[in-house]
């Protein structure tokens, strides 16, 4: 047993010293080379396609139920666009300063390098074990609800919806394992589907409002703010769901090393994606609540969009065809999330966060895909999909995933402000974010990470789970990352002699420079 442990110790030591540096060397080479294949259109599409996932189709009804009136719902969607834009400008500034793959993980390392880049490590930790698999698991049952609705099933929630989600996630994972080319083709096709579906909803809502389509009249907009909630906890939960729909504008920053003309393309693509999606979201909500009566909208939960299409287009198109395509739209979000898993793990591996990284992050020689990382992510996703009790699993997972997501997004925006003072003359800062908007973004990130712990009126009475469960799970998962952080970033460097944070100083001024842990690799190789 002891010899086996020693062999594993030497193996990880050698990997930290040589393979991780080789991977980072490869990344540096790719950044320096002319292999920049992301232009302005593709960069904008990366944000738009990920933002338009399940959020706009699955959350408007629950947001309405939380705040009480369509008018307040619309204000929250508009506020979400403004706040998201404020955060996006911080990511643009940081993305131009540090132009390698890795995004938020690298930004946190430079903004808050001490102690031992703990915030960067914790972000990578929650992205891999919580945010990404939890988001995929939340989307799975949404597909099931829409497809079961289209099939005419009266039982379109609970385990039936999860069963469809299980099949869809398994299918997407299998495609990603078998062929990267076909995975990309599927993502591209489903991206077109989701944009077309949302445009159909927006345009048909405008036509219905103009009298071109006859629908049942209601008082959703004439009622103004009557019935609007005054509960702070409800607004925190509602904003969490709004931000769930806007999450995705950061997608490009994980691929910055492949972006052409970043000085021009990064601001226009990230900022443009928030503006485009914000407009479509607001118009889609106007359409939903013009057509669907208030009580029906609240009770429709995640299938409000299906109820809308049924009332506008009738049975064949509205009840069957469009819900199927809405389900495909959500499937597209799962495809994009699953495909990005290898990039997340690779970025963490490149900076030395992942033990035995070459075995987990590398592509299978025969298939050319990251089989092991996909299998690991599939297993984690299944835990999030199947472990929660029957009931409102979507709300549970959305709140759970979003708590950690916006905690670190807020910290990243704070890092942009900190770096403005600690690195005032940074040579690559060609864009400066507007600090008041950054601060507004940070305030709302604080709000939706603190107020979910504030008891709502009536506590958890009648709820399927305690009000504090989702944020508590997010907090526990984040704090749990301190254990692997200590062993990897504190204990392991002392044992191996490898400095896993040297790359931060070498990248401090945006210089691509040498391999971040190359010199330490030589020392570790000698000791090994």
């Amino acid at each position: 047993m002891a010899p086996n442990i020693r062999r594993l110790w030497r193996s990880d030591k050698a990997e930290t010293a040589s393979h991780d540096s080789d991977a980072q060397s490869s990344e540096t080479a790719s950044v320096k080379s002319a292999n920049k294949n992301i232009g302005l259109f593709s960069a904008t599409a990366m944000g738009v396609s990920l933002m338009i996932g399940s959020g706009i189709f699955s959350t408007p009804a629950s947001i309405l139920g939380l705040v009480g009136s369509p008018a307040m719902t619309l204000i929250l969607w508009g506020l979400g666009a403004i706040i998201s834009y404020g955060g996006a400008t911080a990511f643009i500034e940081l993305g131009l300063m540090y132009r390698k793959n890795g995004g938020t993980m690298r930004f946190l390392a430079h903004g808050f390098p001490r102690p031992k880049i703990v915030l960067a490590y914790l972000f990578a930790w929650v992205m891999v074990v919580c945010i990404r698999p939890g988001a995929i698991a939340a989307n799975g049952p949404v597909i099931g609800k829409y497809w079961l609705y289209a099939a005419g099933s009266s039982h379109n929630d609970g385990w039936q919806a999860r069963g469809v989600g299980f099949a869809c996630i398994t299918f997407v994972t299998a495609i990603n394992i078998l062929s990267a080319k076909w995975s990309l083709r599927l993502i591209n096709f489903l991206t077109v589907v989701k944009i077309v579906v949302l445009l159909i909803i927006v345009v048909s809502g405008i036509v219905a409002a103009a009298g071109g389509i006859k629908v049942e009249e209601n008082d959703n907009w004439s009622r103004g703010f009557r019935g609007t909630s005054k509960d702070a906890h409800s607004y925190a939960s509602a904003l969490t769901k709004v931000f769930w729909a806007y999450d995705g504008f950061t997608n490009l920053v994980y691929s910055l090393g492949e972006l052409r003309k970043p000085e021009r393309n990064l601001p226009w693509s990230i900022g443009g994606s928030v503006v485009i999606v914000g407009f479509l979201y607001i118009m889609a909500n106007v359409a939903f609540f013009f057509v669907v009566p208030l009580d029906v909208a609240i009770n429709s939960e995640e299938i409000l969009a299906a109820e809308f299409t049924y009332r506008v287009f009738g049975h064949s198109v509205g009840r069957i065809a469009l819900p199927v395509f809405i389900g495909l739209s959500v499937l597209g979000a799962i495809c994009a999330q699953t495909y990005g898993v290898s990039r997340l793990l690779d970025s963490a591996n490149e900076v030395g966060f992942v033990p035995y990284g070459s075995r987990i992050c590398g592509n299978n020689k025969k298939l050319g895909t990251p089989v092991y990382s996909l299998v690991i992510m599939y297993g984690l996703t299944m835990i999030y999909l199947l472990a929660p009790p029957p009931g409102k699993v979507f709300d549970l997972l959305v709140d759970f995933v979003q708590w950690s997501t916006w905690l670190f997004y807020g910290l990243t925006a704070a890092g942009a402000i900190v770096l403005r003072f600690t690195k005032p003359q940074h040579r690559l800062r060609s864009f400066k974010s507007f600090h008041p908007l950054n601060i507004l973004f940070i305030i709302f990130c604080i709000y939706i990470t603190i107020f979910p712990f504030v008891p709502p009126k009536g506590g958890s009475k009648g709820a399927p789970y305690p009000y504090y469960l989702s944020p508590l799970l997010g907090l526990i998962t984040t704090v749990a990352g301190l254990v692997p952080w200590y062993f990897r970033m504190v204990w392991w460097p002392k044992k191996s002699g490898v400095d896993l944070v040297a790359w931060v100083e070498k990248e401090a001024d945006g210089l691509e420079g040498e391999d971040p842990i190359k010199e330490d690799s030589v020392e570790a190789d000698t000791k090994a």
Side-chain angles (χ1 to χ4, degrees):
M1 186 71 173
N4 289 336
I5 294 175
R6 282 196 295 271
R7 278 197 296 271
L8 285 173
W9 185 86
R10 290 184 184 127
S11 172
D12 188 32
K13 184 178 182 181
E15 275 195 17
T16 306
S18 60
H19 171 73
D20 286 354
S21 64
D22 288 343
Q24 203 153 3
S25 231
S26 173
E27 186 210 11
T28 302
S30 69
V31 172
K32 289 179 179 180
S33 71
N35 189 23
K36 309 263 187 180
N37 48 26
I38 301 177
L40 178 58
F41 180 83
S42 297
T44 306
M46 287 179 71
V48 172
S49 63
L50 193 55
M51 278 192 278
I52 304 176
S54 66
I56 187 57
F57 302 116
S58 56
T59 61
S62 58
I63 293 169
L64 174 63
L66 287 165
V67 300
S69 67
M72 181 55 69
T73 299
L74 202 64
I75 288 176
L76 290 189
W77 283 100
L79 193 60
I82 295 170
I83 294 169
S84 296
Y85 186 81
T89 59
F91 279 82
I92 293 168
E93 178 175 341
L94 292 169
L96 291 172
M97 292 167 64
Y98 307 106
R99 304 179 183 187
K100 287 187 177 182
N101 291 350
T104 307
M105 181 187 71
R106 289 188 184 275
F107 304 159
L108 287 169
H110 291 286
F112 306 100
R114 295 183 181 85
K116 296 287 185 180
I117 55 176
V118 61
L119 291 180
Y121 186 96
L122 290 178
F123 173 76
W125 163 263
V126 296
M127 279 294 285
V128 171
V129 305
C130 161
I131 294 174
R132 188 50 55 90
I136 295 172
N139 283 329
V142 176
I143 302 174
K145 288 192 174 188
Y146 275 99
W147 286 357
L148 290 169
Y149 177 90
S153 173
S154 59
H155 301 286
N156 63 343
D157 57 4
W159 289 108
Q160 296 90 341
R162 289 200 220 185
V164 176
F166 171 83
C168 290
I169 294 168
T170 302
F171 167 74
V172 169
T173 303
I175 291 293
N176 275 269
I177 288 174
L178 295 174
S179 173
K181 182 183 292 185
W182 279 101
S183 300
L184 286 171
R185 288 173 178 170
L186 183 61
I187 290 171
N188 292 338
F189 169 72
L190 293 176
T191 297
V192 174
V193 169
K194 68 175 65 178
I195 293 174
V196 169
V197 167
L198 192 55
L199 285 173
I200 289 173
I201 290 173
V202 170
V203 173
S204 60
I206 293 173
V207 173
I213 300 175
K214 298 298 181 182
V215 295
E216 179 184 350
E217 292 187 3
N218 60 66
D219 66 344
N220 286 350
W221 294 117
S222 61
R223 66 187 290 119
F225 292 93
R226 190 170 73 250
T228 300
S229 172
K230 298 179 181 179
D231 182 35
H233 183 276
S234 295
Y235 283 94
S237 296
L239 282 170
T240 297
K241 291 172 175 57
V242 169
F243 282 143
W244 160 266
Y246 279 107
D247 187 16
F249 65 82
T250 64
N251 194 32
L252 177 61
V253 300
Y254 299 102
S255 309
L256 286 175
E258 303 166 34
L259 180 65
R260 295 195 299 266
K261 299 181 180 179
E263 293 87 353
R264 183 199 69 176
N265 292 343
L266 188 63
W268 279 102
S269 58
I270 292 183
S273 65
V274 174
V275 172
I276 292 169
V277 171
F279 172 76
L280 290 174
Y281 281 180
I282 291 170
M283 294 306 298
N285 275 271
V286 170
F288 289 150
F289 299 127
F290 183 85
V291 171
V292 183
L294 187 66
D295 57 338
V296 177
I298 293 174
N299 293 326
S300 63
E301 297 183 341
E302 286 92 30
I303 58 170
L304 173 61
E307 183 67 33
F308 169 87
T309 58
Y310 171 66
R311 289 171 176 268
V312 171
F313 297 104
H315 186 273
S316 297
V317 176
R319 177 88 190 193
I320 300 175
L322 278 177
V324 169
F325 282 102
I326 291 172
L328 287 174
S329 172
V330 181
L331 183 66
I334 292 179
C335 291
Q337 291 163 335
T338 303
Y339 189 84
V341 165
S342 59
R343 186 175 299 280
L344 292 172
L345 286 174
D346 283 347
S347 296
N349 179 46
E350 284 159 2
V351 297
F353 285 174
V354 184
Y356 311 105
S358 63
R359 303 179 187 181
I360 299 174
C361 302
N363 286 347
N364 180 276
K365 292 181 179 179
K366 183 177 180 180
L367 297 173
T369 57
V371 175
Y372 290 124
S373 62
L374 287 165
V375 170
I376 290 170
M377 194 57 54
Y378 177 78
L380 289 170
T381 301
M382 289 300 108
I383 292 173
Y384 290 118
L385 178 67
L386 303 176
K392 294 192 175 183
V393 63
F394 177 81
D395 290 337
L396 174 69
L397 287 174
V398 167
D399 293 345
F400 165 52
V401 169
Q402 289 298 89
W403 191 90
S404 298
T405 299
W406 294 94
L407 168 67
F408 285 103
Y409 283 1
L411 287 169
T412 303
I417 297 175
V418 169
L419 286 167
R420 188 78 67 85
F421 295 98
T422 58
K423 301 284 183 183
Q425 304 300 324
H426 195 284
R427 71 183 188 91
L428 294 181
R429 186 187 279 115
S430 56
F431 177 95
K432 290 186 177 182
S433 58
F434 186 47
H435 280 174
L437 275 179
N438 298 157
I439 292 170
L440 179 65
F441 179 78
I442 294 167
I443 289 172
F444 273 85
C445 287
I446 293 171
Y447 179 80
I448 64 174
T449 53
I450 291 178
F451 273 85
F453 290 102
V454 177
K457 291 181 179 179
S460 301
K461 186 177 180 180
Y465 52 84
Y467 68 89
Y468 55 80
L469 181 60
S470 290
L472 181 62
L473 289 173
L475 175 61
I476 291 172
T477 305
T478 303
V479 173
L482 290 172
V483 176
W485 167 79
Y486 172 79
F487 282 105
R488 186 62 179 174
M489 306 304 294
V490 180
W491 179 83
W492 178 246
K494 290 179 180 178
K495 290 289 185 181
S496 64
V498 175
D499 188 352
L500 293 177
V501 300
W503 62 273
V504 179
E505 185 61 31
K506 293 179 180 180
E507 288 184 3
D509 295 320
L511 297 169
E512 293 166 355
E514 293 285 323
D515 189 346
I517 57 175
K518 191 170 185 179
E519 294 121 28
D520 301 302
S521 303
V522 176
E523 180 183 352
D525 277 336
T526 304
K527 290 183 179 180

PDB file of all heavy atoms in Angstrom, residues 272-286:
ATOM      1  N   GLY A 272     -22.940  44.314 -26.368  1.00  0.00           N
ATOM      2  CA  GLY A 272     -24.022  44.117 -27.338  1.00  0.00           C
ATOM      3  C   GLY A 272     -24.914  42.953 -27.000  1.00  0.00           C
ATOM      4  O   GLY A 272     -26.137  43.013 -27.190  1.00  0.00           O
ATOM      5  N   SER A 273     -24.339  41.866 -26.483  1.00  0.00           N
ATOM      6  CA  SER A 273     -25.148  40.692 -26.155  1.00  0.00           C
ATOM      7  C   SER A 273     -26.125  41.011 -25.025  1.00  0.00           C
ATOM      8  O   SER A 273     -27.286  40.573 -25.056  1.00  0.00           O
ATOM      9  CB  SER A 273     -24.247  39.515 -25.769  1.00  0.00           C
ATOM     10  OG  SER A 273     -23.519  39.772 -24.584  1.00  0.00           O
ATOM     11  N   VAL A 274     -25.693  41.806 -24.038  1.00  0.00           N
ATOM     12  CA  VAL A 274     -26.590  42.173 -22.937  1.00  0.00           C
ATOM     13  C   VAL A 274     -27.721  43.065 -23.450  1.00  0.00           C
ATOM     14  O   VAL A 274     -28.891  42.886 -23.078  1.00  0.00           O
ATOM     15  CB  VAL A 274     -25.808  42.883 -21.805  1.00  0.00           C
ATOM     16  CG1 VAL A 274     -26.775  43.391 -20.738  1.00  0.00           C
ATOM     17  CG2 VAL A 274     -24.793  41.946 -21.181  1.00  0.00           C
ATOM     18  N   VAL A 275     -27.405  44.012 -24.320  1.00  0.00           N
ATOM     19  CA  VAL A 275     -28.421  44.918 -24.861  1.00  0.00           C
ATOM     20  C   VAL A 275     -29.440  44.150 -25.702  1.00  0.00           C
ATOM     21  O   VAL A 275     -30.662  44.326 -25.557  1.00  0.00           O
ATOM     22  CB  VAL A 275     -27.764  46.031 -25.696  1.00  0.00           C
ATOM     23  CG1 VAL A 275     -28.824  46.860 -26.434  1.00  0.00           C
ATOM     24  CG2 VAL A 275     -26.922  46.940 -24.809  1.00  0.00           C
ATOM     25  N   ILE A 276     -28.954  43.281 -26.578  1.00  0.00           N
ATOM     26  CA  ILE A 276     -29.850  42.503 -27.454  1.00  0.00           C
ATOM     27  C   ILE A 276     -30.769  41.614 -26.632  1.00  0.00           C
ATOM     28  O   ILE A 276     -31.992  41.609 -26.810  1.00  0.00           O
ATOM     29  CB  ILE A 276     -29.028  41.652 -28.443  1.00  0.00           C
ATOM     30  CG1 ILE A 276     -28.308  42.549 -29.447  1.00  0.00           C
ATOM     31  CG2 ILE A 276     -29.929  40.658 -29.175  1.00  0.00           C
ATOM     32  CD1 ILE A 276     -27.269  41.815 -30.280  1.00  0.00           C
ATOM     33  N   VAL A 277     -30.181  40.856 -25.713  1.00  0.00           N
ATOM     34  CA  VAL A 277     -30.972  39.926 -24.912  1.00  0.00           C
ATOM     35  C   VAL A 277     -31.917  40.671 -23.971  1.00  0.00           C
ATOM     36  O   VAL A 277     -33.067  40.264 -23.788  1.00  0.00           O
ATOM     37  CB  VAL A 277     -30.040  38.982 -24.128  1.00  0.00           C
ATOM     38  CG1 VAL A 277     -30.822  38.144 -23.129  1.00  0.00           C
ATOM     39  CG2 VAL A 277     -29.288  38.065 -25.084  1.00  0.00           C
ATOM     40  N   GLY A 278     -31.453  41.773 -23.387  1.00  0.00           N
ATOM     41  CA  GLY A 278     -32.319  42.550 -22.511  1.00  0.00           C
ATOM     42  C   GLY A 278     -33.566  43.032 -23.229  1.00  0.00           C
ATOM     43  O   GLY A 278     -34.686  42.956 -22.693  1.00  0.00           O
ATOM     44  N   PHE A 279     -33.395  43.529 -24.449  1.00  0.00           N
ATOM     45  CA  PHE A 279     -34.540  43.987 -25.243  1.00  0.00           C
ATOM     46  C   PHE A 279     -35.503  42.835 -25.524  1.00  0.00           C
ATOM     47  O   PHE A 279     -36.724  42.965 -25.344  1.00  0.00           O
ATOM     48  CB  PHE A 279     -34.058  44.601 -26.554  1.00  0.00           C
ATOM     49  CG  PHE A 279     -35.162  44.933 -27.525  1.00  0.00           C
ATOM     50  CD1 PHE A 279     -35.956  46.054 -27.329  1.00  0.00           C
ATOM     51  CD2 PHE A 279     -35.426  44.109 -28.607  1.00  0.00           C
ATOM     52  CE1 PHE A 279     -36.996  46.352 -28.225  1.00  0.00           C
ATOM     53  CE2 PHE A 279     -36.445  44.394 -29.491  1.00  0.00           C
ATOM     54  CZ  PHE A 279     -37.235  45.524 -29.301  1.00  0.00           C
ATOM     55  N   LEU A 280     -34.972  41.689 -25.954  1.00  0.00           N
ATOM     56  CA  LEU A 280     -35.821  40.536 -26.273  1.00  0.00           C
ATOM     57  C   LEU A 280     -36.548  40.028 -25.032  1.00  0.00           C
ATOM     58  O   LEU A 280     -37.730  39.649 -25.106  1.00  0.00           O
ATOM     59  CB  LEU A 280     -34.982  39.424 -26.890  1.00  0.00           C
ATOM     60  CG  LEU A 280     -34.435  39.683 -28.302  1.00  0.00           C
ATOM     61  CD1 LEU A 280     -33.504  38.560 -28.730  1.00  0.00           C
ATOM     62  CD2 LEU A 280     -35.577  39.828 -29.303  1.00  0.00           C
ATOM     63  N   TYR A 281     -35.873  40.011 -23.878  1.00  0.00           N
ATOM     64  CA  TYR A 281     -36.501  39.537 -22.646  1.00  0.00           C
ATOM     65  C   TYR A 281     -37.666  40.434 -22.229  1.00  0.00           C
ATOM     66  O   TYR A 281     -38.736  39.947 -21.845  1.00  0.00           O
ATOM     67  CB  TYR A 281     -35.471  39.496 -21.513  1.00  0.00           C
ATOM     68  CG  TYR A 281     -34.549  38.294 -21.545  1.00  0.00           C
ATOM     69  CD1 TYR A 281     -33.562  38.143 -20.577  1.00  0.00           C
ATOM     70  CD2 TYR A 281     -34.658  37.317 -22.522  1.00  0.00           C
ATOM     71  CE1 TYR A 281     -32.705  37.057 -20.574  1.00  0.00           C
ATOM     72  CE2 TYR A 281     -33.808  36.227 -22.544  1.00  0.00           C
ATOM     73  CZ  TYR A 281     -32.823  36.108 -21.563  1.00  0.00           C
ATOM     74  OH  TYR A 281     -31.979  35.033 -21.568  1.00  0.00           O
ATOM     75  N   ILE A 282     -37.457  41.731 -22.283  1.00  0.00           N
ATOM     76  CA  ILE A 282     -38.514  42.664 -21.897  1.00  0.00           C
ATOM     77  C   ILE A 282     -39.712  42.524 -22.826  1.00  0.00           C
ATOM     78  O   ILE A 282     -40.868  42.451 -22.380  1.00  0.00           O
ATOM     79  CB  ILE A 282     -37.980  44.108 -21.894  1.00  0.00           C
ATOM     80  CG1 ILE A 282     -36.973  44.298 -20.758  1.00  0.00           C
ATOM     81  CG2 ILE A 282     -39.126  45.113 -21.762  1.00  0.00           C
ATOM     82  CD1 ILE A 282     -36.211  45.612 -20.805  1.00  0.00           C
ATOM     83  N   MET A 283     -39.454  42.445 -24.122  1.00  0.00           N
ATOM     84  CA  MET A 283     -40.546  42.316 -25.082  1.00  0.00           C
ATOM     85  C   MET A 283     -41.258  40.972 -24.937  1.00  0.00           C
ATOM     86  O   MET A 283     -42.479  40.889 -25.103  1.00  0.00           O
ATOM     87  CB  MET A 283     -40.006  42.486 -26.506  1.00  0.00           C
ATOM     88  CG  MET A 283     -39.482  43.879 -26.816  1.00  0.00           C
ATOM     89  SD  MET A 283     -40.691  45.181 -26.481  1.00  0.00           S
ATOM     90  CE  MET A 283     -41.997  44.730 -27.626  1.00  0.00           C
ATOM     91  N   ALA A 284     -40.516  39.910 -24.622  1.00  0.00           N
ATOM     92  CA  ALA A 284     -41.138  38.596 -24.424  1.00  0.00           C
ATOM     93  C   ALA A 284     -42.068  38.617 -23.213  1.00  0.00           C
ATOM     94  O   ALA A 284     -43.171  38.043 -23.247  1.00  0.00           O
ATOM     95  CB  ALA A 284     -40.067  37.521 -24.248  1.00  0.00           C
ATOM     96  N   ASN A 285     -41.673  39.300 -22.129  1.00  0.00           N
ATOM     97  CA  ASN A 285     -42.535  39.400 -20.955  1.00  0.00           C
ATOM     98  C   ASN A 285     -43.778  40.220 -21.239  1.00  0.00           C
ATOM     99  O   ASN A 285     -44.872  39.896 -20.753  1.00  0.00           O
ATOM    100  CB  ASN A 285     -41.746  40.002 -19.784  1.00  0.00           C
ATOM    101  CG  ASN A 285     -40.961  38.971 -19.005  1.00  0.00           C
ATOM    102  OD1 ASN A 285     -41.467  38.384 -18.063  1.00  0.00           O
ATOM    103  ND2 ASN A 285     -39.720  38.738 -19.420  1.00  0.00           N
ATOM    104  N   VAL A 286     -43.621  41.287 -22.015  1.00  0.00           N
ATOM    105  CA  VAL A 286     -44.788  42.058 -22.421  1.00  0.00           C
ATOM    106  C   VAL A 286     -45.762  41.161 -23.182  1.00  0.00           C
ATOM    107  O   VAL A 286     -46.983  41.187 -22.945  1.00  0.00           O
ATOM    108  CB  VAL A 286     -44.373  43.266 -23.292  1.00  0.00           C
ATOM    109  CG1 VAL A 286     -45.597  43.931 -23.916  1.00  0.00           C
ATOM    110  CG2 VAL A 286     -43.587  44.279 -22.470  1.00  0.00           C
TER     111      VAL A 286
END
